[in-house]
Amino acid sequence: MLTRGRFLLVGTILIGASAPPAPAQNVAEVQVAPPSITIRVGERSGLLATAFDRIGNVIPTIRIIWSSNNVAVAKVDNSGTVTGVANGVAIIEARVASRKGQAAVQVVGGPGVPPRAPPPAPPSAPPGTDPLSGQPPGTGPAAALRLEPGVIYLLPSENTRVAPRALREDGSPAAPVAVRWASLRTDVASVDQNGNVVALAPGQGTIQVTAAGGLTATAPVVVQAADFGVREPSPLMMSPGGVDTVHVVVPTQGGRAVNPLVLQWSSSDQSVARVSLAGAVTAVGPGRATLTVSGLLQNRSIEVAVHRVAESMAVRPRFSAEVQLPLTATLKFEAQALAVDNTPIPEAPMRWHIADPAIASFDAQTGNLTGRSAGKTQLTVRGPGSGLSVTWNINVVAGAVKLSQSRVGIGLNQRYTLRAGYADDQGTIIGPAGNLTWSSSHPQVASVGEDGTVAGLGYGTTRVTALAPGGKTATADVYVVGEIVVSSSRTGGRFQLYSAERSNLAQFTRIGAAPGDTTSATDPAFSPDGSRIAFVSATSGNPEIYVMNADGTNPTRLTTDPQLDGRPVFTPDAQTIVFHSSRAGGTSQIWSMGADGTGLTQLTRDSVNSSPTVSPDGSTIAYVSARDRNYDIWLMSRDGSHQRAFTRSPAHRESEPRFLRDGSLAYLVERREGNRTVFQVVKAELATGAVTPLSGIDLAIASFAVTPSGDLLALVVNAQPQNRRNPIYKVYIQPVATGTPVPMPTTGTEQMITPTFRP
């Protein structure tokens, strides 16, 4: 008889066509059916044994050796006929050389075999048992025993095999030891001397294994009545000739697999799909079939759909020598199997493979290929048939290019390197950009090298462009401005902004007029990247804060209060401007706002406070306060909290604080020496308060600026110190602590105030 596509053996009797004998060493699997039976004392029942080779073919003529692990419960003859002897459970084994199959036999209706207490040391193994079975090789004496699995979950009547492990003190495998098995709850589960556990009734029992020297290990056995299910989705889609395996699991027990020996599979249509006793499914021909698994008083089913034979494939895009994909871009690929009549087989599975996922990633669900980094790779799709394969050569070219900065200010003969990277759709850099072509819109203003290094050549603005293979570009606006910026009255008596270099103080360049060119522009302050200047203008009739590009273009008004606003300064992240204003009841206080004029926040509220400066890390604001009836330098956090005095000198007046790049603080000190008042710029360390002079005391300094590195001072000096009512202000340039102050040249009644230095 032919069952499930395999021949069945009863003992050594072949049911089916005769065939020449096969050597025992070719046997890869032995299966016994049914996997479990219940008989009464004195009753007989036949078991069937089937031998298979490694590819699943039946080996028709083979000698089967039958045995029972407990002949006091059930015995078996050479034909596989089992006879019930006494109440209990026995494991019947069919063996061919080293391969074996098993069935659990429960005998009822008679007195049980009384259990024997385990002796203190294991005796010699009973006939038909192997006391070392299942133990891996190891060396050295055993210090402990362990059971695998550590916890056993079973359904009623299910059986499984538990393996002992002999371990050394360090946990490594020891030499195998002879063990003896026992069940501490024989009403829940039984165990034979080969470690075969059979679930008898719901409950929790314990399996114990012992060895010489008092070594013992236990494992709980949890027997629960629960539903099993098939892990694979239904319908199971298969191609003709394909092989798959379906698995029966218990969802409520962690999804563990059910012992296949207690299950039986069948197919509703073996011309569509065949299924083995172990759940191996072979797709035979197009159609649909239902696979049913039964055992342990349950049954479940799964649909199998076998599609038509595929003869060819239709793919998109069309196969070509190379498919170019821009970096970060997505291209959709499609493939469909076609039958012999060229009709689609939509259910036919396609297997996709990308050779280098670092170059491009592929989503088989959507068919989308996405470029990840510049380079070449291959995308392959294989259909459900011999020779059905298509490979595309993929060339990922530069996609979106992103520069480290979109704008920057530099000086004459100064260099700055723009870094370029490839970016994804969210603008995140995913790798450095290579093979870029760089260009400058105004090379007389700034040139750019092959590595993105920009060199300032002349005052003005240029746009630097990075062009990637494939045509993607990124740009940065570069502003070339002078190192020293001052407000000068040389044009019509109105203060405007000019720049100069320390090497040529007489060469002034106009930066830009205030909006409308009708009034003054003072208090300039560079943004951290040097591309913007915040300043104060009274175009509206009242001093307000503006921001413009470093070349004077695009001036934008930020404040609109009728009270005075002044002394703007950027925070290091360029997101905030801190300034002083009299808008709160006419008293000067420190305020902050976004670089676009939004988010106005008052930071101080008592006394008179002015002239803020922000530390290089952006965490601290230094300012001038008259809280103690004297001008002192105070500090506070960026949000206005933790306000505290930094200087407390009743005999001195400290003003004009300026943070340096190293975090130290420069400020102006006014004090009496003898019968005269002297002015001096000093530098103090915030941590220690240690003070270092930066200038002499010979000039009537009203204000100053210092380079971020602290090497050069710009001093605002009253050229007629005796004339305090109508002072004449000049700007002197002096190297810190050494050298002679040099005045910036002026003409006629020209005055200069509020100097600053480019970052």
Side-chain angles (χ1 to χ4, degrees):
M1 101 183 205
L2 186 63
T3 304
R4 303 180 200 90
R6 293 178 172 177
F7 291 102
L8 298 181
L9 297 175
V10 180
T12 59
I13 302 175
L14 171 67
I15 303 178
S18 63
Q25 59 265 29
N26 291 338
V27 176
E29 180 185 3
V30 176
Q31 296 185 6
V32 179
S36 62
I37 59 173
T38 300
I39 60 176
R40 294 183 174 274
V41 173
E43 184 181 355
R44 293 186 175 188
S45 180
L47 295 175
L48 306 179
T50 311
F52 303 95
D53 63 17
R54 64 183 181 84
I55 59 175
N57 296 320
V58 174
I59 302 175
T61 304
I62 204 72
R63 177 176 171 75
I64 304 292
I65 304 298
W66 293 90
S67 64
S68 169
N69 77 325
N70 194 345
V71 294
V73 173
K75 59 184 179 179
V76 61
D77 62 20
N78 289 336
S79 67
T81 300
V82 180
T83 302
V85 177
N87 186 31
V89 175
I91 301 297
I92 304 300
E93 182 177 277
R95 180 188 294 270
V96 178
S98 62
R99 308 296 182 181
K100 59 186 177 182
Q102 295 178 337
V105 177
Q106 185 172 13
V107 181
V108 298
V113 177
R116 291 175 294 176
S124 59
T129 65
D130 180 2
L132 305 180
S133 175
Q135 299 186 48
T139 59
L145 288 178
R146 185 181 69 199
L147 293 180
E148 292 185 358
V151 179
I152 306 160
Y153 290 94
L154 293 173
L155 303 177
S157 299
E158 189 181 3
N159 63 82
T160 190
R161 179 76 177 271
V162 182
R165 297 287 185 266
L167 303 175
R168 301 173 64 174
E169 289 186 355
D170 61 0
S172 61
V177 296
V179 298
R180 184 167 183 82
W181 296 85
S183 171
L184 304 185
R185 284 288 303 273
T186 56
D187 59 323
V188 174
S190 68
V191 62
D192 68 11
Q193 295 309 306
N194 286 322
N196 296 302
V197 180
V198 180
L200 302 178
Q204 180 166 334
T206 302
I207 298 301
Q208 182 184 64
V209 63
T210 57
L215 300 180
T216 303
T218 61
V221 180
V222 180
V223 181
Q224 294 177 331
D227 291 336
F228 61 60
V230 180
R231 187 173 65 191
E232 285 66 33
S234 183
L236 180 65
M237 307 300 298
M238 300 187 67
S239 303
V243 178
D244 204 344
T245 301
V246 286
H247 302 83
V248 178
V249 297
V250 184
T252 59
Q253 295 179 0
R256 70 166 184 88
V258 176
N259 187 345
L261 293 176
V262 302
L263 303 172
Q264 292 179 292
W265 285 92
S266 63
S267 171
S268 65
D269 190 342
Q270 296 199 40
S271 67
V272 175
R274 297 194 302 265
V275 61
S276 74
L277 295 176
V281 184
T282 301
V284 180
R288 298 178 76 92
T290 301
L291 305 182
T292 301
V293 59
S294 58
L296 305 174
L297 302 178
Q298 302 183 51
N299 61 76
R300 297 290 183 272
S301 62
I302 180 175
E303 297 295 318
V304 176
V306 181
H307 62 74
R308 293 175 292 162
V309 176
E311 295 290 337
S312 60
M313 285 195 308
V315 298
R316 291 181 59 189
R318 295 181 59 185
F319 173 77
S320 62
E322 185 175 87
V323 176
Q324 280 204 343
L325 178 67
L327 187 68
T328 73
T330 296
L331 184 62
K332 188 174 182 62
F333 286 74
E334 297 177 345
Q336 191 171 58
L338 302 178
V340 65
D341 58 358
N342 283 332
T343 57
I345 310 175
E347 65 272 22
M350 295 290 165
R351 291 171 295 163
W352 297 85
H353 175 71
I354 186 72
D356 190 346
I359 300 295
S361 62
F362 184 76
D363 186 341
Q365 297 295 322
T366 63
N368 289 332
L369 182 73
T370 303
R372 292 300 179 195
S373 62
K376 294 185 177 182
T377 186
Q378 289 184 323
L379 176 66
T380 300
V381 61
R382 291 183 173 85
S386 177
L388 297 184
S389 176
V390 172
T391 297
W392 290 270
N393 292 316
I394 308 297
N395 183 15
V396 179
V397 297
V401 182
K402 187 175 182 180
L403 299 180
S404 55
Q405 288 182 249
S406 61
R407 50 190 297 138
V408 64
I410 61 175
L412 291 176
N413 303 315
Q414 185 181 2
R415 294 177 177 270
Y416 183 87
T417 299
L418 294 168
R419 306 295 180 186
Y422 292 134
D424 60 18
D425 293 339
Q426 287 72 44
T428 302
I429 297 294
I430 59 177
N435 301 320
L436 299 178
T437 301
W438 294 86
S439 62
S440 172
S441 62
H442 294 86
Q444 73 277 14
V445 173
S447 63
V448 59
E450 294 181 356
D451 63 348
T453 297
V454 181
L457 302 177
Y459 294 140
T461 305
T462 186
R463 175 158 292 181
V464 172
T465 300
L467 172 65
K472 297 290 185 177
T473 63
T475 62
D477 292 326
V478 178
Y479 300 88
V480 181
V481 296
E483 179 187 18
I484 308 167
V485 175
V486 299
S487 183
S488 170
S489 65
R490 66 172 50 192
T491 302
R494 295 188 300 271
F495 281 99
Q496 301 291 345
L497 300 183
Y498 294 82
S499 69
E501 304 294 333
R502 69 172 73 186
S503 60
N504 188 358
L505 297 177
Q507 184 64 46
F508 265 33
T509 300
R510 179 103 170 252
I511 290 180
D517 195 24
T518 60
T519 188
S520 65
T522 60
D523 292 348
F526 278 99
S527 61
D529 61 9
S531 69
R532 292 183 174 90
I533 296 176
F535 64 99
V536 174
S537 176
T539 299
S540 63
N542 185 66
E544 304 287 358
I545 295 174
Y546 289 75
V547 169
M548 65 181 175
N549 293 327
D551 63 354
T553 60
N554 193 32
T556 303
R557 182 177 174 178
L558 301 184
T559 62
T560 58
D561 194 88
Q563 296 295 328
L564 180 146
D565 296 327
R567 292 297 292 272
V569 60
F570 283 92
T571 55
D573 59 10
Q575 301 300 309
T576 304
I577 293 176
V578 182
F579 62 102
H580 66 222
S581 174
S582 301
R583 63 184 63 206
T587 301
S588 178
Q589 299 294 341
I590 309 300
W591 297 71
S592 70
M593 64 180 171
D596 59 356
T598 62
L600 185 67
T601 303
Q602 185 174 352
L603 302 181
T604 63
R605 298 180 181 277
D606 60 339
S607 187
V608 177
N609 304 284
S610 62
S611 305
T613 182
V614 184
S615 63
D617 63 4
S619 65
T620 304
I621 298 174
Y623 59 100
V624 178
S625 179
R627 283 183 173 91
D628 297 327
R629 298 183 180 181
N630 186 50
Y631 289 104
D632 287 301
I633 307 299
W634 280 60
L635 304 176
M636 64 179 169
S637 299
R638 181 168 169 170
D639 61 359
S641 63
H642 193 38
Q643 297 181 15
R644 70 273 188 196
F646 181 67
T647 65
R648 290 185 181 275
S649 306
H652 301 163
R653 290 163 58 103
E654 290 89 7
S655 62
E656 303 293 316
R658 304 281 189 272
F659 270 110
L660 277 65
R661 186 179 295 140
D662 63 4
S664 60
L665 184 66
Y667 53 90
L668 179 63
V669 178
E670 178 184 349
R671 65 178 184 270
R672 295 288 297 178
E673 284 195 1
N675 58 357
R676 69 182 185 125
T677 300
V678 299
F679 303 86
Q680 186 175 37
V681 179
V682 301
K683 179 180 73 171
E685 302 297 330
L686 257 62
T688 65
V691 175
T692 303
L694 298 182
S695 75
I697 59 174
D698 298 328
L699 298 175
I701 304 171
S703 181
F704 74 98
V706 61
T707 55
S709 62
D711 69 323
L712 194 68
L713 289 170
L715 306 174
V716 179
V717 176
N718 183 357
Q720 300 177 0
Q722 70 282 0
N723 184 2
R724 294 200 172 194
R725 178 169 296 182
N726 296 299
I728 304 297
Y729 289 115
K730 306 289 184 183
V731 172
Y732 287 73
I733 304 300
Q734 175 191 344
V736 168
T738 62
T740 302
V742 176
M744 299 185 75
T746 59
T747 59
T749 59
E750 177 185 2
Q751 295 193 64
M752 294 182 185
I753 56 173
T754 60
T756 192
F757 288 95
R758 188 188 64 245

